[in-house]
Amino acid sequence: MRFFEEVLDICNKLINWYRENKRELPWRNTTDPYKIWLSEIILQQTRVQQGLPYYEKFTNQFPTINDLADASEQDVLLLWQGLGYYSRARNMHYTAKMIVDKYNGNFPENHNEILALKGVGEYTAAAIASFAFDKAYPVLDGNVFRFISRLFGIEKPIDTSTGKKEITKALDLIFNTQKPALFNQAIMEFGATHCTPKKPKCDTCIFNMQCEALGSKKVMSIPVKKGKTKILQVNHTYMCFIHDNKTYIEKRTAGIWKNLYQFPLIEEDIKPDGITKIVNRYLKTPSKFKISDVFDSTHILSHRKIQASFFTIHLDTSPIFLKNNIFEIPLADLTTRYPVSILTQNYLKRLNL
């Protein structure tokens, strides 16, 4: 009997805490599955503070899933620009079009159908099913992993199948099947704002008498991960050719920045004294040029570190390129019409564009 009372106590404490301490966020004031799905996709690998302006931009420009489906991918990527992990935007646009075609613009309510959508995993499917349709599917994001593993003292690595199974079993014990949406919001919010990764508020925690990690003084060592991702360093050299207020760009066809635009790229570390050979590698006819600026930048992703150099190259004559995928645009258009990576955005700020 005591066990069930303790489980009920944990559940009730979470919900009561949430009602008193929750942040007011726009996607919490709706059961519209489109807006909930949109918020969940944006918040994948993105903090709330960073994602909120993007949510507002998308709901303003694309208020319905039909509006998003009707948009061009270029417009979607342009609005997404700066948020990173661009496959999320491409998948989101693809899924919007599929829901319009297959479900006549009505978001599917069935959990398995939601899970089958491109870009939707177990966590996102559970979040949409519970928040939009109040179905009893527990969510398991990073915040929940952390809170559950600390509360129950689970030391098996959370990035292994055995660790995930143990945490799922523990979560199922306290999950409120009668109020799934409210419970899911509560447990995620508690992990995000109270049981935080680096500075958890253990002194004022409502669970400090029940938390196994606190009792064994292992809060900062839990959750456990089996191993860290190895980061590969790569070099990018971009050439910003400029002539008569025009510049020249190409569209990426693969990789993390697929379908974004960039200046001609050499994936090597090129020094200023070697740039002449590179320029002539790109131009069909020789041209006089002057390098007015070199901008070096570092960009760290989850699995790679990019050391980038941007050469600002002023040409005397209009260039003819050997590669036929490079095309001319007004320099000013690059910030308003063509989605680019955060690396290129930082460089354009240097050019006051």
Side-chain angles (χ1 to χ4, degrees):
M1 180 65 71
R2 178 179 292 179
F3 169 77
F4 292 105
E5 289 177 352
E6 187 167 351
V7 165
L8 183 61
D9 180 55
I10 291 171
C11 179
N12 288 338
K13 276 183 177 179
L14 269 174
I15 290 174
N16 291 336
W17 175 91
Y18 176 72
R19 283 173 169 153
E20 293 178 8
N21 298 278
K22 67 177 180 178
R23 293 168 292 178
E24 290 299 326
L25 300 170
W27 47 83
R28 288 179 175 164
N29 300 319
T30 181
T31 56
D32 181 346
Y34 165 64
K35 291 181 178 177
I36 290 168
W37 165 67
L38 182 64
S39 72
E40 291 299 334
I41 299 300
I42 288 173
L43 294 178
Q44 288 174 4
Q45 300 169 301
T46 300
R47 299 187 309 276
V48 167
Q49 187 176 6
Q50 183 188 9
L52 180 56
Y54 285 87
Y55 173 83
E56 291 172 341
K57 285 194 296 184
F58 268 88
T59 53
N60 287 334
Q61 188 157 333
F62 309 120
T64 70
I65 199 165
N66 294 75
D67 295 317
L68 179 58
D70 288 341
S72 69
E73 183 182 89
Q74 186 165 325
D75 284 341
V76 173
L77 290 173
L78 191 62
L79 207 60
W80 191 273
Q81 187 173 253
L83 199 54
Y85 299 97
Y86 286 86
S87 61
R88 293 181 291 171
R90 293 192 296 269
N91 290 340
M92 188 173 70
H93 188 228
Y94 174 91
T95 297
K97 291 191 289 185
M98 190 275 283
I99 289 174
V100 168
D101 291 341
K102 185 175 180 179
Y103 298 102
N104 198 30
N106 297 309
F107 211 96
E109 295 187 28
N110 179 273
H111 175 265
N112 289 335
E113 288 182 302
I114 297 172
L115 185 59
L117 299 174
K118 192 170 185 179
V120 172
E122 289 283 355
Y123 158 73
T124 304
I128 296 168
S130 65
F131 300 151
F133 307 112
D134 207 32
K135 295 191 175 184
Y137 290 92
V139 297
L140 196 51
D141 72 345
N143 295 311
V144 178
F145 268 112
R146 184 170 56 258
F147 170 67
I148 292 294
S149 59
R150 284 174 174 171
L151 181 65
F152 288 88
I154 297 171
E155 296 186 63
K156 290 180 180 177
I158 63 173
D159 52 352
T160 64
S161 59
T162 54
K164 289 178 181 177
K165 284 179 183 177
E166 190 164 333
I167 289 173
T168 300
K169 187 185 295 185
L171 176 60
D172 286 340
L173 290 175
I174 64 172
F175 181 61
N176 189 324
T177 57
Q178 302 304 308
K179 300 175 181 177
L182 184 59
F183 177 87
N184 282 338
Q185 291 282 17
I187 194 169
M188 290 199 307
E189 185 77 341
F190 194 84
T193 64
H194 202 93
C195 191
T196 53
K198 293 184 179 179
K199 294 182 180 179
K201 302 169 185 175
C202 297
D203 291 345
T204 59
C205 182
I206 55 177
F207 300 108
N208 57 19
M209 298 300 292
Q210 297 161 298
C211 180
E212 294 287 340
L214 184 61
S216 59
K217 298 181 179 179
K218 293 182 178 179
V219 171
M220 297 314 298
S221 62
I222 294 178
V224 176
K225 285 193 175 182
K226 186 177 181 180
K228 294 183 178 179
T229 304
K230 291 184 178 179
I231 297 178
L232 175 69
Q233 179 169 317
V234 295
N235 295 295
H236 284 187
T237 298
Y238 294 94
M239 290 166 290
C240 175
F241 294 108
I242 297 175
H243 174 70
D244 194 25
N245 290 320
K246 302 285 199 310
T247 192
Y248 307 86
I249 59 174
E250 58 188 0
K251 187 176 183 179
R252 288 189 67 94
T253 58
I256 56 171
W257 292 326
K258 180 182 177 181
N259 293 345
L260 300 188
Y261 294 84
Q262 65 186 19
F263 298 111
L265 167 66
I266 298 286
E267 295 194 17
E268 301 173 22
D269 179 21
I270 308 297
K271 302 302 180 187
D273 57 3
I275 198 67
T276 298
K277 185 184 293 186
I278 299 301
V279 169
N280 289 331
R281 189 193 299 181
Y282 269 85
L283 299 181
K284 197 168 187 178
T285 55
S287 175
K288 291 183 180 180
F289 65 89
K290 180 179 72 174
I291 298 172
S292 64
D293 183 61
V294 181
F295 173 61
D296 294 320
S297 181
T298 301
H299 188 57
I300 298 176
L301 302 166
S302 58
H303 59 294
R304 68 180 63 181
K305 178 180 180 182
I306 300 175
Q307 294 289 158
S309 295
F310 288 81
F311 286 84
T312 307
I313 305 169
H314 293 270
L315 300 171
D316 280 2
T317 57
S318 182
I320 301 174
F321 290 95
L322 290 170
K323 293 173 68 176
N324 58 15
N325 63 325
I326 298 174
F327 60 96
E328 177 186 276
I329 64 166
L331 188 57
D333 280 5
L334 194 51
T335 57
T336 57
R337 294 184 57 192
Y338 299 92
V340 298
S341 71
I342 189 68
L343 267 176
T344 303
Q345 279 184 279
N346 292 337
Y347 169 67
L348 293 176
K349 289 176 185 176
R350 185 180 177 90
L351 296 183
N352 293 319
L353 292 175

